[in-house]
């Protein structure tokens, strides 16, 4: 017979503390169900000062009822919280710091709140632990940032706590599991509570992982972050898209890929059924995607270009279209999308041939960042997908095409394409002498400058001027000359001479549109398979339902 001494409890202190906190709210709850009107009182009992608290703020889905409720807590009761928010997207996320409820922040992306974060950091209201890539932040939840409390959002729950997260599953499994299996507390806001478990469309998070459920005052907020209106795509975007297809995708036989957000990449998607078709490339490039369900990909799907799409998250209005295309998307038996940001980030890191994305600033070495003076945007998933993972061991034609020697021990290489317009809409150069991020990091006391993608990971720089094939550079100085050659009349570009550009073109290190067989005169909006949101709806057979702000009819 084993005798357990009181000292044995020292191995279960987290479990004992969780039990103590749960007992504090037993009188407020009906099983796992918390009444909406008592949620602030419940949070004040379940969360302790100094706790690490995960607030589900994703690219699209926001646990906004819980974040608004937490912001109503008494700072005398709750203070000095360490918030972990993948995407800081809601005003109340920062209200928590302004009210003194939270002190420290670890995050991956900020978007619309980037200006306010920068100001709070400058004013000493907020302390940044680190700016992460998504997968890095999730990973740390299982190492040194294990949360005490996790606040998430779902479409439905039953009275046992089983959750249906549906098309917007996104980060939820990664966030919940970190708490559920280390005696943290998990609270989910839901749009609907059903009595019969059979009424759930499917179970995405089992009830044994969830401590409490509360029905929100309104459906959780979803941001259609990856929707781009084709009407805003310009001829310059079309030109750059043509160069990407000819000078990168066709040249390297790119079969699997991730597109970053932006009008440049939307243009690529929309000219595949036209320009790509003219080149006879269907079935040869762009077959497998790790991607949010971009509406601008609909024409390529409908015309037979796409074999599969695995999604980081959902996209508002795409749900009926996705349900009707199960051969393309990963869907459940109920027909709805199963997105998973953690798995899709891993796929985007290890399983694809190419990442292509834009940035706000790039320096003469190819380092880039979206952190600029007065704007702490963060990175999202770009650093994760925009680098060459040295742990990769499977080969593909594109990966092997970047080999530069016959050495049997040389690795292939992932294509990382930085797509940059040389000047921003404000007239400021995008290619700069030094990234603002360097000075921002120094002023904020960060141990590392907040660089999004390091130049030594970039294999191609694509601007409206041409393409620099950086993976061929034989020295750092040659790399600088290649970037300068496609940087136009920016300060970096003005360093390049006509003689240098001619030599780089002759050696195949830089290619202008004419070197690729791209006719600048053909780069017009007429190449777009869809020129408006209404065209996308028509391509989808009426299944795509654009959010109201994108409708012009």
């Amino acid at each position: 017979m084993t005798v357990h001494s009181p000292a044995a409890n020292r191995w279960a202190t987290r479990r004992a503390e969780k039990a103590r906190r749960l007992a504090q709210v037993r009188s407020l709850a009906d099983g796992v169900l918390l009444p909406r009107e008592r949620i602030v009182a419940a949070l004040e009992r379940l969360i302790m000062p100094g706790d690490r608290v995960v607030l589900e703020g994703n690219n699209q889905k926001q646990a906004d009822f819980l974040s608004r409720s937490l912001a109503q807590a008494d700072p005398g009761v709750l203070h000095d919280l360490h918030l972990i928010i993948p995407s800081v997207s809601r005003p109340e996320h920062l209200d928590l710091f302004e009210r003194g409820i939270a002190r420290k922040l670890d995050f991956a992306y900020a978007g619309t709140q980037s200006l306010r974060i920068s100001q709070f950091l400058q004013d000493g209201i907020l302390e940044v632990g680190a700016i992460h890539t998504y997968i890095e932040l999730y990973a740390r939840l299982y190492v040194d940032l294990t949360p005490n409390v996790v606040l998430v959002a779902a479409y439905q729950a039953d009275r046992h706590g089983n959750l249906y997260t549906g098309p917007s599953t996104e980060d939820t499994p990664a966030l919940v599991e970190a708490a559920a299996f280390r005696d943290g507390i998990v609270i989910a806001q839901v749009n609907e509570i059903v009595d019969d478990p059979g009424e759930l469309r499917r179970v995405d998070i089992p009830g044994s992982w969830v401590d409490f459920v509360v029905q929100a005052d309104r459906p959780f907020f979803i941001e259609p972050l990856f929707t781009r209106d084709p009407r805003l795509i310009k001829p310059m975007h079309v030109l750059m898209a043509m160069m990407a297809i000819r000078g990168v995708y066709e040249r390297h036989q790119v079969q699997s890929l991730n597109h970053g957000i932006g009008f440049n990449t939307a243009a690529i998607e929309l000219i595949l059924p036209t320009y790509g078709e003219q080149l006879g490339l269907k079935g040869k490039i762009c077959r497998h995607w790790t991607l949010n369900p971009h509406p601008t990909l609909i024409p390529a799907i409908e015309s037979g270009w796409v074999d599969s799409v695995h999604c980081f998250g959902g996209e508002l209005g795409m749900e009926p279209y996705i349900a009707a295309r199960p051969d393309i998307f990963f869907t459940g038996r109920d027909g709805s999308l199963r997105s998973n940001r953690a798995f899709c980030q891993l796929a985007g890191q290890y399983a694809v041939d190419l990442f292509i994305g834009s940035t706000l600033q790039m320096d003469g070495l190819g380092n880039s960042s979206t952190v600029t003076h007065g704007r702490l945007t963060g990175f999202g998933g770009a650093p994760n997908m925009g680098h060459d993972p040295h742990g990769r061991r499977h080969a593909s034609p594109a990966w092997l095409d970047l080999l530069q020697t016959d050495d049997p021990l040389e690795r292939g290489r992932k294509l990382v394409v930085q797509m940059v317009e040389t000047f921003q809409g404000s007239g400021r150069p995008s290619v700069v002498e030094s990234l603002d991020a360097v000075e921002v990091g120094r002023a904020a006391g960060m141990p590392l400058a907040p660089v999004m993608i390091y130049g030594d990971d970039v294999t191609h720089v694509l601007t409206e001027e041409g393409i620099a094939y950086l993976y061929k550079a034989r020295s750092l100085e040659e790399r600088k000359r290649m970037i300068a050659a496609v940087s136009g009349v920016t300060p970096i570009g003005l360093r390049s001479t006509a003689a240098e550009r001619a030599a780089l073109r002759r050696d195949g290190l830089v290619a202008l549109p004419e070197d690729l067989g791209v006719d600048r005169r053909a780069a017009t909006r007429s190449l777009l398979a869809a020129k408006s949101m209404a065209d996308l709806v028509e391509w989808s057979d009426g299944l795509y339902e654009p959010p109201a702000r994108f409708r012009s009819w």
Side-chain angles (χ1 to χ4, degrees), residues 36 127 144 194 216 385 531 536:
R36 183 188 310 150
E127 174 190 344
D144 61 331
V194 299
M385 290 173 289
K531 300 174 182 63
L536 292 176

Side-chain angles (χ1 to χ4, degrees), residues 3 56 71 85 97 133 185 207 247 266 272 337 362 394 419 482-483:
V3 177
E56 186 170 32
I85 310 177
F97 293 91
T133 182
I185 294 170
L272 284 174
L337 178 70
M362 182 183 72
H394 74 282
M419 203 173 190
M482 292 165 69
I483 292 175

Side-chain angles (χ1 to χ4, degrees), residues 353 388 398-399 402 411-415 456-459 471:
D353 293 330
D388 180 33
W399 192 73
L402 267 60
R411 285 189 296 261
R413 192 167 177 185
K414 180 180 182 178
L415 283 74
D456 57 5
D457 273 316
V458 179
T459 58
Y471 69 93

Side-chain angles (χ1 to χ4, degrees), residues 340-535:
N340 188 306
R341 194 171 306 281
F343 286 167
C344 201
Q345 288 284 335
L346 283 174
Q349 181 177 7
Y350 278 101
V352 303
D353 293 330
L354 170 144
F355 164 81
I356 185 168
S358 302
T359 187
L360 292 178
Q361 282 190 339
M362 182 183 72
D363 68 16
L365 290 171
N367 301 301
S368 67
S369 186
T370 51
V371 173
T372 56
H373 288 303
R375 186 185 183 99
L376 208 66
T377 308
F379 311 130
N384 176 64
M385 290 173 289
H387 85 283
D388 180 33
H390 287 183
R392 175 171 169 166
R393 292 296 180 269
H394 74 282
S396 67
W399 192 73
L400 294 173
D401 200 47
L402 267 60
L403 290 171
Q404 296 299 293
T405 72
D406 294 328
D407 185 343
L409 295 180
E410 183 184 359
R411 285 189 296 261
R413 192 167 177 185
K414 180 180 182 178
L415 283 74
V416 177
V417 183
Q418 196 70 78
M419 203 173 190
V420 188
E421 295 175 45
T422 55
F423 282 85
Q424 300 171 24
S426 61
R428 289 181 296 180
S430 301
V431 189
V432 296
E433 299 276 357
S434 177
L435 298 176
D436 287 358
V438 174
E439 188 177 333
V440 169
R442 187 184 301 118
M446 296 180 184
L448 295 172
V451 173
M452 182 172 70
I453 296 178
Y454 285 99
D456 57 5
D457 273 316
V458 179
T459 58
H460 302 67
V461 168
L462 193 164
T463 74
E464 71 273 18
E465 301 290 334
I467 302 175
Y469 294 95
L470 299 186
Y471 69 93
K472 292 184 173 185
R474 292 158 292 196
S475 68
L476 194 60
E477 286 305 312
E478 187 169 65
R479 181 186 187 87
K480 291 179 181 178
R481 289 196 296 273
M482 292 165 69
I483 292 175
V486 296
S487 294
V489 294
T490 65
I492 296 294
L494 291 174
R495 297 175 181 173
S496 180
T497 67
E500 285 176 335
R501 290 192 293 275
L504 291 169
R505 291 172 67 188
R506 184 180 60 247
D507 293 343
L509 301 178
V510 164
L512 304 189
E514 47 269 33
D515 302 326
L516 302 170
V518 171
D519 184 352
R520 295 175 188 263
R521 296 169 300 177
T524 67
R525 284 179 46 82
S526 63
L527 276 182
L528 299 175
K531 300 174 182 63
S532 67
M533 299 300 285
D535 287 349

Side-chain angles (χ1 to χ4, degrees), residues 273 298-300 302-303 321 325 529-530 534-542:
I298 290 173
E302 293 301 302
S303 51
Y321 178 75
R325 301 291 184 270
D535 287 349
L536 292 176
V537 174
E538 185 175 349
W539 269 100
S540 75
D541 292 331

